[in-house]
Amino acid sequence: MTKTAPAAGFVRRLAGTLHRRPRLQLSLLLTAPLTWLVLAYLGSLSALFLSAFWTTDSFTSSVVKVWNTDNFTTLFESDVYRQVALRSVGVALAVTALCAVIAFPVAFYTARIAKPRWRPLLVVAILTPLWASYLVKAYAWRLILAEGGLLDWLLGPFGLEGPGYGLTATVLVLTYLWLPYMILPLHAGLEQLPDNLLDASADLGARTGRTFRSVVLPMLLPSIAAGSVFTFSLSLGDYIAVQIVGGKTQLIGNLIYSNITLDLPLAAALGTVPVVIIVGYLLAVRRTGALSSL
């Protein structure tokens, strides 16, 4: 009993100190995850950025730690890399726009029209595709988009055919893959939309289109921006879907992947491009207040 009494007293004093100092308690709780974030995430990004200033021996393909800016000069001066970067940004923006257009009616139904007891089940149904393997879904779309595949069979009676493999197929597959990330923020935003605003708009004579433009859309912009953070960043960095259904299409993700074994410093320089673009996108989205909605 005499040995355990000082230990129990110390525990009580420590608990009292933490109770009186919530900031100290919060700091202790966040120390471990923040340390892991700095070492694993920010550390790897720093290593990526530093290795972009190295070069590769043209004869042995080994990395030579000689500092220079040749890789970044190649990126800026090469028309191929500029076109691939612009194409990648265009694909990410197209996927984000398509996800927003498709997600709104789905989220509106799940949040405003469906009966309350069915709404949790509908949300689970929306999340279900995320539980399936990425590769399974991508290769399923490869079969759908193949020549003579399901899409050609469905469009054949109308004298049409599917897009086949290429840029359009890549946008379609990425839209399908990341659509739930746009539906969920819109669902949450529509659930929080006050009914009295819609009633007031109708009482003042506004039609459906005017109510959507003047009331619903401004209040949903943070939710749309929050969803776009996921759809834009995931599409910009994706390199698997374009290899499966992209045909000869080159995006920045698969350029990085193909250069890792051939020219690691150039691949690292290419890897900084989506990082810079995404940071710029996050700074732009931050102005909408969307980051507080994540």
mmCIF file of all heavy atoms in Angstrom, residues 18 42 57-58 76 130 168 179 207-208 225 284:
data_model
loop_
_atom_site.group_PDB
_atom_site.id
_atom_site.type_symbol
_atom_site.label_atom_id
_atom_site.label_comp_id
_atom_site.label_asym_id
_atom_site.label_seq_id
_atom_site.Cartn_x
_atom_site.Cartn_y
_atom_site.Cartn_z
ATOM 1 N N LEU A 18 -3.540 18.232 -16.362
ATOM 2 C CA LEU A 18 -4.067 18.164 -17.723
ATOM 3 C C LEU A 18 -5.482 18.725 -17.795
ATOM 4 O O LEU A 18 -5.864 19.342 -18.800
ATOM 5 C CB LEU A 18 -4.047 16.715 -18.222
ATOM 6 C CG LEU A 18 -2.660 16.087 -18.422
ATOM 7 C CD1 LEU A 18 -2.784 14.626 -18.826
ATOM 8 C CD2 LEU A 18 -1.866 16.859 -19.462
ATOM 9 N N LEU A 42 5.700 14.908 -44.951
ATOM 10 C CA LEU A 42 6.496 16.072 -45.335
ATOM 11 C C LEU A 42 7.942 15.675 -45.613
ATOM 12 O O LEU A 42 8.598 16.253 -46.480
ATOM 13 C CB LEU A 42 6.430 17.128 -44.233
ATOM 14 C CG LEU A 42 5.035 17.693 -43.955
ATOM 15 C CD1 LEU A 42 5.106 18.752 -42.867
ATOM 16 C CD2 LEU A 42 4.413 18.276 -45.216
ATOM 17 N N ASP A 57 23.192 9.454 -64.743
ATOM 18 C CA ASP A 57 24.260 9.084 -65.664
ATOM 19 C C ASP A 57 23.653 8.452 -66.912
ATOM 20 O O ASP A 57 22.931 7.459 -66.818
ATOM 21 C CB ASP A 57 25.218 8.102 -64.986
ATOM 22 C CG ASP A 57 26.472 7.854 -65.817
ATOM 23 O OD1 ASP A 57 26.355 7.256 -66.905
ATOM 24 O OD2 ASP A 57 27.558 8.240 -65.364
ATOM 25 N N SER A 58 23.915 9.010 -68.050
ATOM 26 C CA SER A 58 23.295 8.542 -69.298
ATOM 27 C C SER A 58 23.772 7.155 -69.696
ATOM 28 O O SER A 58 23.094 6.464 -70.472
ATOM 29 C CB SER A 58 23.594 9.526 -70.437
ATOM 30 O OG SER A 58 24.999 9.684 -70.609
ATOM 31 N N PHE A 76 10.126 22.909 -68.426
ATOM 32 C CA PHE A 76 9.606 24.177 -68.917
ATOM 33 C C PHE A 76 9.833 24.361 -70.417
ATOM 34 O O PHE A 76 9.023 25.005 -71.097
ATOM 35 C CB PHE A 76 10.234 25.342 -68.154
ATOM 36 C CG PHE A 76 9.720 25.496 -66.756
ATOM 37 C CD1 PHE A 76 10.550 25.280 -65.678
ATOM 38 C CD2 PHE A 76 8.391 25.837 -66.518
ATOM 39 C CE1 PHE A 76 10.077 25.410 -64.389
ATOM 40 C CE2 PHE A 76 7.910 25.967 -65.231
ATOM 41 C CZ PHE A 76 8.752 25.760 -64.153
ATOM 42 N N LEU A 130 -16.859 2.275 -53.070
ATOM 43 C CA LEU A 130 -15.523 2.561 -52.549
ATOM 44 C C LEU A 130 -14.910 1.345 -51.867
ATOM 45 O O LEU A 130 -13.695 1.286 -51.679
ATOM 46 C CB LEU A 130 -15.582 3.732 -51.565
ATOM 47 C CG LEU A 130 -16.024 5.078 -52.138
ATOM 48 C CD1 LEU A 130 -16.063 6.132 -51.038
ATOM 49 C CD2 LEU A 130 -15.102 5.528 -53.266
ATOM 50 N N THR A 168 -11.438 10.287 -73.574
ATOM 51 C CA THR A 168 -12.830 10.269 -73.119
ATOM 52 C C THR A 168 -13.082 9.127 -72.152
ATOM 53 O O THR A 168 -13.754 9.298 -71.124
ATOM 54 C CB THR A 168 -13.779 10.161 -74.321
ATOM 55 O OG1 THR A 168 -13.546 11.247 -75.223
ATOM 56 C CG2 THR A 168 -15.231 10.191 -73.870
ATOM 57 N N LEU A 179 -16.826 9.742 -57.980
ATOM 58 C CA LEU A 179 -18.141 10.355 -57.796
ATOM 59 C C LEU A 179 -18.613 10.354 -56.338
ATOM 60 O O LEU A 179 -19.165 11.361 -55.873
ATOM 61 C CB LEU A 179 -19.171 9.653 -58.690
ATOM 62 C CG LEU A 179 -20.599 10.201 -58.653
ATOM 63 C CD1 LEU A 179 -20.633 11.664 -59.069
ATOM 64 C CD2 LEU A 179 -21.513 9.360 -59.548
ATOM 65 N N ARG A 207 -39.133 30.982 -59.404
ATOM 66 C CA ARG A 207 -39.321 29.646 -59.944
ATOM 67 C C ARG A 207 -38.158 28.744 -59.540
ATOM 68 O O ARG A 207 -37.222 29.170 -58.878
ATOM 69 C CB ARG A 207 -39.461 29.709 -61.459
ATOM 70 C CG ARG A 207 -40.696 30.495 -61.912
ATOM 71 C CD ARG A 207 -40.840 30.464 -63.415
ATOM 72 N NE ARG A 207 -42.045 31.172 -63.853
ATOM 73 C CZ ARG A 207 -42.424 31.305 -65.121
ATOM 74 N NH1 ARG A 207 -41.666 30.760 -66.085
ATOM 75 N NH2 ARG A 207 -43.531 31.948 -65.426
ATOM 76 N N THR A 208 -38.265 27.490 -59.990
ATOM 77 C CA THR A 208 -37.267 26.507 -59.564
ATOM 78 C C THR A 208 -35.853 26.914 -59.971
ATOM 79 O O THR A 208 -34.918 26.830 -59.167
ATOM 80 C CB THR A 208 -37.605 25.124 -60.158
ATOM 81 O OG1 THR A 208 -38.924 24.747 -59.758
ATOM 82 C CG2 THR A 208 -36.607 24.077 -59.673
ATOM 83 N N ALA A 225 -16.951 22.837 -53.479
ATOM 84 C CA ALA A 225 -15.499 23.044 -53.419
ATOM 85 C C ALA A 225 -14.827 21.976 -52.570
ATOM 86 O O ALA A 225 -13.733 21.500 -52.898
ATOM 87 C CB ALA A 225 -15.200 24.437 -52.861
ATOM 88 N N ALA A 284 -6.753 28.344 -53.530
ATOM 89 C CA ALA A 284 -7.915 28.973 -54.163
ATOM 90 C C ALA A 284 -9.213 28.524 -53.507
ATOM 91 O O ALA A 284 -10.126 29.327 -53.263
ATOM 92 C CB ALA A 284 -7.924 28.654 -55.658
#
